[in-house]
Amino acid sequence: MFTEYINHYTSLRENYKKLLNMINSYDEIIIMRHLRPDPDAIGSQLALKEILKCVFPNKKVTALGESEASLEFLGKMDTATSVEQPLLIVVDTAGVGRIDGDISVGDKVVKIDHHPNHEPYGDINIVETGVSSTSELIFLLASAWGFDNDYINDVSARLLFSGIVGDTGRFLFNNTSTLTLKVASELRKFDFDAAQDMTEMNKQSLDQFKFKGYLINNFEMTDKGVLHVWVPRSVLSDYELTSNEASMHVNIYREIDEAKIWFMAVEEADNIRVRVRSKETVINDVAESFGGGGHPLASGVSIASYEELQLLIEALDSKL
Ligand code: AMP
């Protein structure tokens, strides 16, 4: 059913057999993903672990990285143990600097991702920007291996579905393709409570909810439509929020008709985390020129100073 899609995605088509051979030759496999994980990072990481555990019950497969409390309902990370020469698979992570872990522990490294591939750090790189999410890509990979019927189970289906839902904004963003919906439809045949997971994914504390008031009352917007909001650490402490909890509201501005591009700049201990979003104008080139990266319409940058923020506003404004 997915053969035409597998054939269409070159790095998948050219590497899925090689990857299976590589997996076959290791007894221990570690799966990592990016810092500050989102549902796609955790979903693709833990789903791949579950699939490999089902296919290869005798291999030791571990998922490593800092735990993220708001996503623990999807599953937990393993504790790192010292492993000799494992195969390391990194999912959903464009560059080495964003990996939540040390890739030098891997004898060989595999990259599986859907962000632009500026840093092909793997010995094998399966990178496809045309899919909605790494979770969608893991499903295609399992399908290419012929494992989709027998080795995807309720656990991995739930994880992949959650990852796809997360990265497509519940199937509303323009990365939602026919394939995305076909994969989601396959996954939905399994037994898991998707509605309950959506509730979990979107729930927020009273402080987080009240913080929306700050965001609504404190943004600025250029004449052309670059909306931006500055969240200093003092505001985080007023609302008793972590940077991650505050940053999750970035899409609150999507509904404003006049906002073409928008970003949230959240002051952290040693830098400023900027999440940038756009409705139509490509922004990842601007993010990259500031040392960040991401997708054409959803990017991120880590910047050093408030002054640099003004340059970012100007650069984004010049794209409109
Ligand atoms: P986020 O706003 O954290 O959801 O990130 C949106 C996209 O930009 C994701 O694909 C991230 O991988 C990417 N991204 C976020 N921050 C950075 C950064 N500092 N450097 C490179 N890419 C980033």
Side-chain angles (χ1 to χ4, degrees), residues 1-17 112-115 124-144 174-183:
M1 176 179 187
F2 292 95
T3 314
E4 71 173 286
Y5 294 100
I6 294 160
N7 286 334
H8 171 76
Y9 289 116
T10 317
S11 73
L12 176 63
R13 185 184 68 233
E14 290 178 351
N15 289 302
Y16 74 88
K17 284 188 190 143
I112 304 178
D113 188 27
H114 72 128
H115 299 97
I124 291 179
N125 297 285
I126 298 182
V127 180
E128 295 296 345
T129 55
V131 292
S132 69
S133 51
T134 303
S135 297
E136 188 175 315
L137 187 52
I138 295 288
F139 179 88
L140 282 187
L141 182 59
S143 183
N174 76 343
N175 58 359
T176 309
S177 67
T178 317
L179 170 63
T180 312
L181 296 172
K182 279 188 177 161
V183 171

Side-chain angles (χ1 to χ4, degrees), residues 9-159:
Y9 289 116
T10 317
S11 73
L12 176 63
R13 185 184 68 233
E14 290 178 351
N15 289 302
Y16 74 88
K17 284 188 190 143
K18 248 186 259 175
L19 175 54
L20 190 57
N21 288 337
M22 195 180 266
I23 290 171
N24 259 315
S25 66
Y26 283 86
D27 292 330
E28 314 220 5
I29 299 161
I30 293 176
I31 309 174
M32 291 182 182
R33 37 77 186 162
H34 61 78
L35 294 160
R36 293 195 184 110
D38 52 17
D40 188 35
I42 300 269
S44 56
Q45 180 189 30
L46 293 180
L48 180 59
K49 174 185 162 186
E50 181 68 22
I51 293 166
L52 294 181
K53 288 298 301 172
C54 287
V55 181
F56 303 105
N58 295 325
K59 291 190 193 291
K60 183 176 175 201
V61 188
T62 47
L64 298 185
E66 286 289 309
S67 61
E68 166 57 47
S70 64
L71 293 173
E72 279 193 348
F73 70 94
L74 288 175
K76 294 204 166 138
M77 292 297 111
D78 296 306
T79 312
T81 50
S82 77
V83 175
E84 295 250 324
Q85 309 271 291
L87 173 64
L88 176 60
I89 303 178
V90 184
V91 296
D92 200 38
T93 313
V96 172
R98 302 251 310 143
I99 299 173
D100 186 352
D102 173 11
I103 58 165
S104 68
V105 300
D107 179 46
K108 286 262 173 14
V109 177
V110 177
K111 176 184 186 183
I112 304 178
D113 188 27
H114 72 128
H115 299 97
N117 194 14
H118 299 307
E119 223 183 302
Y121 55 78
D123 296 288
I124 291 179
N125 297 285
I126 298 182
V127 180
E128 295 296 345
T129 55
V131 292
S132 69
S133 51
T134 303
S135 297
E136 188 175 315
L137 187 52
I138 295 288
F139 179 88
L140 282 187
L141 182 59
S143 183
W145 286 335
F147 294 166
D148 48 337
N149 289 327
D150 296 329
Y151 296 103
I152 289 188
N153 59 19
D154 294 345
V155 174
S156 50
R158 172 187 180 227
L159 288 160

Side-chain angles (χ1 to χ4, degrees), residues 152-266:
I152 289 188
N153 59 19
D154 294 345
V155 174
S156 50
R158 172 187 180 227
L159 288 160
L160 294 177
F161 189 82
S162 301
I164 294 170
V165 165
D167 262 28
T168 59
R170 301 174 172 195
F171 306 107
L172 292 177
F173 299 160
N174 76 343
N175 58 359
T176 309
S177 67
T178 317
L179 170 63
T180 312
L181 296 172
K182 279 188 177 161
V183 171
S185 160
E186 283 304 303
L187 294 170
R188 212 46 209 92
K189 291 178 184 163
F190 289 86
D191 187 19
F192 59 93
D193 191 340
Q196 172 61 24
D197 285 340
M198 298 314 105
T199 306
E200 276 294 328
M201 227 184 270
N202 291 292
K203 79 175 183 196
Q204 45 195 278
S205 67
L206 192 55
D207 283 328
Q208 271 171 302
F209 190 78
K210 287 183 181 169
F211 173 66
K212 286 185 190 175
Y214 174 86
L215 293 177
I216 290 168
N217 289 308
N218 289 281
F219 68 82
E220 291 177 40
M221 189 159 65
T222 67
D223 292 343
K224 287 189 191 165
V226 176
L227 183 154
H228 46 99
V229 67
W230 165 238
V231 184
R233 292 181 80 192
S234 57
V235 169
L236 292 181
S237 72
D238 287 350
Y239 288 89
E240 296 187 29
L241 294 180
T242 63
S243 153
N244 244 1
E245 287 165 340
S247 299
M248 71 173 273
H249 291 298
V250 65
N251 278 316
I252 195 173
Y253 300 115
R254 187 178 292 277
E255 291 164 27
I256 301 175
D257 192 27
E258 290 83 353
K260 310 282 185 258
I261 297 173
W262 64 101
F263 72 73
M264 266 184 87
V266 181

